[in-house]
Amino acid sequence: MGAPVVRVEGLVKRYGGATALDGVSFEVGKGEVFGLLGPNGAGKTTTVEILEGVRAKTAGVATVLGEDPSDLKRGRSVKRKMGVLPQDFSAFARLTVRENLEFFAGIYDSPVNVPELIGLLKLEEDSQKRFALLSGGSKQRVGVAAALVNDPEIVFLDEPTIGLDPEARRATWKVISDLKDRGKTVVLTTHYMDEAEKLSDRIGILVKGKLAVLGSPAELIGRFGGSKTIVFKNGGDAVFGTLRRFFDGATMEGQDVVLPFENLRDLDVAMGALVGRGLDSDVALRQPTLEEVFLRFAGFRMTESGDAV
Amino acid sequence: MKLVVVFKAVTRNWLRSRSGLFFSFLFPVLLLLLLASVSSTPGVPGPAGLGAGYYVASVTAAFVMTNGVIGLTNVGSELRRNGVLKRLSASPLPKFEWLLGNILSQAVLALILAGVMLALGAVLFRAEYLVNFFSIAILVMGTLLFSGLGMTLAGVIKDPETASGVGNAIAFPMMLLSGTFWPISAMPAYLQSVAAVLPLTFFSEGLRDSLVVANFQIALTDLVVVTAFAVAFLLIGTATTKWSEP
Ligand SMILES: Nc1ncnc2c1ncn2[C@@H]1O[C@H](COP(=O)(O)OP(=O)(O)OP(=O)(O)O)[C@@H](O)[C@H]1O
Ligand SMILES: [Mg+2]
């Protein structure tokens, strides 16, 4: 890996007395997709906005393509090569999708072809509609299109698939993986575990302004995901009470009863106990996912909207 | 040119807003028709004996003012609230070109408004004017002045509702006190001394004196005062429009 495209070191951000970023460090190499995963208020947006040069940092280092994006002169040359989808993207309310994208194209020196971009993001049907009248999902796709209008080297996407239906979400994933195939560098923030796991080469889990852990999805799951588990679907209290006598590690998740899986004997013992009592339940073997890694570092699970539960 | 791109986008966005269109064109035209009809009724002398010409100049000036102070304030705080400005600050577009594009848009709208008003005054009320260097210079400087004031309000006041309220609270009293509807000399002395410090007073008077009265001595003084106000507000407006967040 040559010089990193993004370098963040000891980054600190305070809003008044509140510390939003408390010494965050990571690097993103050329052609890498880096996922910043974290609950609401973790500091994801603050981090990317500092990198985009739209927010001032309190202390530490934040460079993009070797330059400080907040620098007036050098920052501008970095911004030419940067694509940005802000959180809660918006555009001129009374201009159409096409007019808005033509506006964004017009403020860069060598923009891509706007009709092609409209096709890429599947915005053909909306292209003559005013921005204010679009659905949330279409607005979001206009934002992604606007982020790609200058054929950027590095793209920052702050929650690119929020508010999209599953189909549109997969289409956006495809756009992101195509960017990667073309050698572009991508930094994305998300609440969605599956999105982070599927798209990212490396993931940083941000919790309360600190980077809790950093690594590839496989690495993180392998090291911190814990063992496989046996899940008794909708087992309820009866199944739990029975298994509790044989396994100290038995826990309940809602109505599901969960056992750590060490070897086949465990399964045999558990089944024997349940059959002996005449209890029945669906059984599944579960591989650890990023969710377990997240739980371990954050101390809580996260809903799809990023709330802690 | 980026300036042209900004100009096109903001002008379109402005003209497609109902309130933008109403405040920029419809309302001033209606007001002119009303005021000029009254003043051209036989036996009712227009203010300062100028008839419809008085209103053509002063209503134009008043609406160039409201477009800047109310219109630009509203649009500016709308664009900041919905994050368009933040998105722009993440692009290579310089803040200066963004502001210049907005001002240019206001200036062109002001020239069109003036053209419409002059044409209406001439055709319907037989008003006569002297379109000359002074009248155009004063019109342009007045546009810059009130664009600067609008930029300043949008930049200083974070909350869009408050910004819009303050814009109205400044624009309407100023319109009433600066000789738009009646001559300043018709007001009590204490209101005259308020009028004497309002920028619209000089803009309005300058436009009347260059366009209708042909008193270039006074017009020149007004042009100097309006230019000084314009430079001050443009500097403050540029400084208060933030291209990055704290
Ligand atoms: N302009 C601001 N002024 C004061 N505090 C702020 C400001 N912006 C963000 N914060 C605070 O900083 C912390 C981090 O916010 P940030 O928006 O970076 O989180 P996030 O991870 O992007 O959250 P979300 O998932 O909700 O988008 C939060 O506690 C937030 O309240
Ligand atoms: Mg955020």
Side-chain angles (χ1 to χ4, degrees):
Chain A
M1 175 165 110
V5 173
V6 171
R7 190 163 86 88
V8 175
E9 206 174 307
L11 187 61
V12 174
K13 175 66 187 182
R14 288 191 202 92
Y15 292 108
T19 302
L21 294 178
D22 191 5
V24 170
S25 305
F26 64 88
E27 288 186 354
V28 184
K30 181 161 167 38
E32 230 188 341
V33 177
F34 183 80
L36 258 183
L37 187 64
N40 292 135
K44 303 181 295 296
T45 298
T46 303
T47 306
V48 293
E49 284 186 351
I50 290 172
L51 288 168
E52 291 159 10
V54 307
R55 191 172 287 288
K57 63 188 181 213
T58 307
V61 176
T63 65
V64 176
L65 297 164
E67 306 282 4
D68 177 355
S70 69
D71 183 271
L72 207 60
K73 261 232 150 63
R74 290 154 181 275
R76 184 159 302 143
S77 79
V78 176
K79 284 173 182 176
R80 286 186 229 281
K81 301 176 203 153
M82 187 191 276
V84 170
L85 170 73
Q87 184 164 11
D88 306 319
F89 169 81
S90 190
F92 291 101
R94 292 171 290 276
L95 297 192
T96 66
V97 168
R98 187 171 173 149
E99 288 165 347
N100 266 301
L101 290 175
E102 266 158 5
F103 166 76
F104 282 110
I107 61 179
Y108 292 92
D109 292 330
S110 39
V112 302
N113 177 280
V114 168
E116 271 173 35
L117 198 57
I118 287 174
L120 182 68
L121 272 302
K122 309 224 173 355
L123 284 162
E124 290 97 338
E125 284 190 15
D126 288 327
S127 74
Q128 300 301 330
K129 284 193 199 146
R130 291 188 184 189
F131 184 80
L133 304 178
L134 298 177
S135 71
S138 295
K139 284 182 178 165
Q140 191 69 359
R141 276 179 291 146
V142 175
V144 175
L148 303 181
V149 79
N150 55 331
D151 191 23
E153 288 303 308
I154 157 89
V155 190
F156 294 99
L157 302 169
D158 200 349
E159 303 191 13
T161 64
I162 197 134
L164 297 189
D165 61 39
E167 194 190 335
R169 231 174 126 203
R170 273 192 297 277
T172 303
W173 287 357
K174 171 89 169 59
V175 171
I176 296 172
S177 55
D178 287 351
L179 284 174
K180 180 183 161 56
D181 292 344
R182 288 168 47 216
K184 310 292 187 184
T185 309
V186 180
V187 174
L188 68 100
T189 78
T190 184
H191 298 140
Y192 301 120
M193 304 282 176
D194 55 342
E195 181 165 300
E197 189 174 335
K198 191 169 157 45
L199 294 175
S200 314
D201 297 309
R202 282 188 312 131
I203 289 173
I205 297 183
L206 198 57
V207 183
K208 295 199 183 109
K210 289 195 163 130
L211 210 50
V213 68
L214 199 64
S216 75
E219 219 168 80
L220 294 180
I221 295 167
R223 282 179 62 191
F224 306 110
S227 56
K228 293 175 189 164
T229 47
I230 311 167
V231 184
F232 298 86
K233 276 264 169 216
N234 284 317
D237 292 333
V239 169
F240 180 65
T242 305
L243 293 177
R244 202 52 234 231
R245 298 191 202 162
F246 299 87
F247 300 95
D248 288 343
T251 53
M252 286 193 78
E253 284 176 14
Q255 282 303 301
D256 295 347
V257 181
V258 178
L259 289 186
F261 174 89
E262 317 245 305
N263 51 45
L264 271 179
R265 281 260 316 271
D266 294 345
L267 198 55
D268 192 39
V269 172
M271 298 302 238
L274 293 181
V275 173
R277 303 216 146 210
L279 291 168
D280 197 12
S281 163
D282 271 349
V283 183
L285 199 59
R286 191 167 73 191
Q287 304 282 348
T289 65
L290 209 49
E291 225 156 312
E292 279 70 41
V293 181
F294 183 85
L295 176 65
R296 174 157 174 170
F297 285 101
F300 51 84
R301 285 182 191 278
M302 184 166 62
T303 66
E304 293 270 279
S305 58
D307 299 319
V309 286
Chain B
M1 268 303 285
K2 312 233 162 85
L3 191 62
V4 177
V5 175
V6 172
F7 170 82
K8 260 171 68 178
V10 296
T11 308
R12 265 190 188 149
N13 195 50
W14 171 279
L15 288 178
R16 283 183 195 165
S17 102
R18 281 206 201 118
S19 66
L21 208 57
F22 181 73
F23 269 112
S24 309
F25 293 108
L26 214 57
F27 196 24
V29 165
L30 289 178
L31 212 60
L32 175 67
L33 293 182
L34 206 75
L35 291 168
S37 322
V38 173
S39 76
S40 55
T41 308
V44 181
L50 294 179
Y54 181 98
Y55 291 118
V56 170
S58 57
V59 173
T60 302
F63 281 87
V64 167
M65 184 275 291
T66 57
N67 284 345
V69 176
I70 301 179
L72 263 194
T73 305
N74 286 356
V75 172
S77 43
E78 172 193 318
L79 291 175
R80 188 167 60 178
R81 168 168 56 180
N82 66 21
V84 172
L85 288 191
K86 200 196 266 178
R87 175 63 185 81
L88 294 181
S89 66
S91 82
L93 180 71
K95 174 172 98 170
F96 182 69
E97 286 197 43
W98 165 253
L99 292 177
L100 209 59
N102 275 273
I103 292 169
L104 195 65
S105 166
Q106 287 294 313
V108 169
L109 290 173
L111 289 172
I112 297 175
L113 174 65
V116 170
M117 301 290 266
L118 258 63
L120 277 178
V123 171
L124 296 180
F125 306 105
R126 294 208 183 78
E128 285 171 13
Y129 327 96
L130 295 136
V131 178
N132 50 41
F133 163 77
F134 277 114
S135 45
I136 293 177
I138 286 192
L139 191 63
V140 170
M141 281 303 157
T143 309
L144 298 187
L145 193 180
F146 294 108
S147 300
L149 185 52
M151 274 156 43
T152 303
L153 293 179
V156 171
I157 305 169
K158 304 282 176 231
D159 175 55
E161 273 75 38
T162 314
S164 148
V166 171
N168 282 290
I170 291 176
F172 285 111
M174 181 144 71
M175 191 192 274
L176 293 176
L177 294 176
S178 302
T180 306
F181 302 104
W182 51 80
I184 289 175
S185 57
M187 298 195 297
Y190 73 99
L191 285 183
Q192 287 194 32
S193 51
V194 175
V197 297
L198 295 176
L200 181 59
T201 302
F202 298 94
F203 179 35
S204 199
E205 182 186 68
L207 211 51
R208 280 193 305 270
D209 277 318
S210 58
L211 207 55
V212 191
V213 187
N215 186 339
F216 297 115
Q217 201 96 45
I218 297 184
L220 180 62
T221 319
D222 288 327
L223 180 59
V224 170
V225 176
V226 169
T227 305
F229 268 119
V231 170
F233 280 125
L234 283 178
L235 289 177
I236 302 172
T238 308
T240 50
T241 305
K242 290 283 174 251
W243 218 224
S244 75
E245 314 255 332

